[in-house]
Amino acid sequence: MINENSHTQYDVETDEELMNHLNNIIQECKNKPGMLIPILQQTQKLYGYLPESAIKKISTELNIPFSEVAGIIGFYSFFSTKAKGKNVVRVCQGTACYVRGGKDLLSAFKNVLKVGVGETTKDKKFSLEVSRCFGACGLAPVITINDEVIQRVKPSSVAEIVKSVED
Ligand code: FES
């Protein structure tokens, strides 16, 4: 059954199936020390982000206050409590990329996608994020789209790149 209400990596799973899956993750890990972050990582992989219902469940099962779990999620930039688009664009704003046009490149993505950083397009096709460095500084400015690294990107190429991902 297709779940149309939640945005998940496993979009064939219903909310109930996702919650069962989450429960298995928690039960497997809950008695081992230091498992909160690994559980959150697996939960994010399961849902594509960390929905409030999942955070509440983790908080209850691990007997850790919700505010504490939320604080840890807020501390690590790789955790997200917002549903992401089908494609995640990350524009590097590290020093090398920034001085070689990363700022203009980010503006071009904002204009073409019509979203700000941390936002998702209305059609849920794209989320826009920034990154500090992809370790490919020699070929700056660099972006990633999902797992693909694209180097020496020009602002004038952005519309074409977005279209190629859409098609
Ligand atoms: S600063 Fe952008 S890849 Fe290193």
Side-chain angles (χ1 to χ4, degrees):
M1 179 182 170
I2 304 287
N3 176 8
E4 293 175 340
N5 295 324
S6 63
H7 196 80
T8 72
Q9 285 199 339
Y10 299 89
D11 57 1
V12 291
E13 291 193 63
T14 62
D15 285 343
E16 196 186 335
E17 284 165 341
L18 282 166
M19 203 42 94
N20 287 340
H21 203 140
L22 172 59
N23 199 39
N24 291 340
I25 292 169
I26 294 170
Q27 298 314 320
E28 245 175 60
C29 302
K30 75 187 272 194
N31 295 322
K32 299 177 194 161
M35 289 311 286
L36 176 58
I37 288 177
I39 288 172
L40 290 171
Q41 285 172 319
Q42 287 187 60
T43 306
Q44 181 157 289
K45 203 168 167 196
L46 177 66
Y47 286 85
Y49 71 111
L50 292 168
E52 193 177 319
S53 58
I55 300 170
K56 276 185 185 155
K57 170 105 181 140
I58 292 167
S59 156
T60 305
E61 293 286 334
L62 269 61
N63 203 18
I64 300 173
F66 182 90
S67 58
E68 201 175 308
V69 180
I72 286 168
I73 292 166
F75 183 78
Y76 292 101
S77 60
F78 50 81
F79 287 134
S80 174
T81 54
K82 284 187 193 164
K84 291 191 182 180
K86 187 175 169 207
N87 303 288
V88 179
V89 178
R90 293 190 176 89
V91 182
C92 185
Q93 297 293 283
T95 307
C97 287
Y98 191 85
V99 300
R100 289 172 78 174
K103 190 180 169 205
D104 290 343
L105 192 55
L106 180 59
S107 297
F109 272 102
K110 285 180 183 170
N111 288 338
V112 170
L113 296 175
K114 298 184 176 53
V115 292
V117 172
E119 293 177 356
T120 296
T121 55
K122 279 194 185 122
D123 60 9
K124 307 264 187 246
K125 280 189 183 166
F126 292 93
S127 291
L128 181 61
E129 297 183 353
V130 293
S131 173
R132 289 291 150 222
C133 183
F134 295 120
C137 317
L139 296 163
V142 179
I143 66 163
T144 61
I145 298 186
N146 306 322
D147 293 330
E148 186 188 359
V149 179
I150 308 174
Q151 300 155 336
R152 290 199 172 119
V153 184
K154 295 188 181 86
S156 58
S157 313
V158 167
E160 199 182 319
I161 290 170
V162 167
K163 185 155 184 357
S164 72
V165 175
E166 275 180 328
D167 292 343

